[in-house]
Amino acid sequence: MTMSKKKKGSEKKMFLEIWDEREHICTNCGKHLGYEPRAHYFSHIKGKGAYPELKYNKDNIQLLCMECHYAYDFQGLDKFKSLKR
């Protein structure tokens, strides 16, 4: 297994642990996320690029629906906050 695949597996393992530990609800708008974890539900609060040391920190992950995750990453905090419940 290459190093990048190993790291990818570690992130997936962490995501599955988070999924088992938390309610399946978007922490921003309250939408139910269903019963199967999807990669786009897991959002790093502090980005992996700027904060690589937090990549595998569960406290740096929030569960978001697809719309809120997109707003958080690409549309700015005003748009993200406007979706809040």
Side-chain angles (χ1 to χ4, degrees):
M1 176 180 286
T2 66
M3 187 60 142
S4 63
K5 285 184 181 177
K6 193 175 207 177
K7 285 186 178 181
K8 193 75 159 173
S10 296
E11 189 172 63
K12 181 178 179 180
K13 181 181 177 211
M14 179 186 65
F15 288 168
L16 291 174
E17 287 174 6
I18 290 169
W19 189 255
D20 288 340
E21 295 168 358
R22 299 182 191 173
E23 289 187 78
H24 306 159
I25 297 171
C26 176
T27 57
N28 191 55
C29 73
K31 179 180 176 181
H32 189 266
L33 301 176
Y35 300 99
E36 290 190 41
R38 304 280 184 221
H40 60 263
Y41 293 157
F42 302 88
S43 174
H44 287 83
I45 298 165
K46 293 186 177 184
K48 297 182 282 187
Y51 301 91
E53 70 277 10
L54 297 176
K55 181 177 181 177
Y56 297 108
N57 183 326
K58 289 183 186 180
D59 293 332
N60 189 44
I61 304 294
Q62 58 188 340
L63 290 176
L64 298 176
C65 68
M66 189 176 230
E67 183 179 12
C68 288
H69 193 161
Y70 184 82
Y72 187 80
D73 284 351
F74 303 109
Q75 296 178 316
L77 285 179
D78 288 340
K79 174 63 176 176
F80 177 71
K81 288 177 182 179
S82 77
L83 300 171
K84 195 164 186 82
R85 50 178 140 147

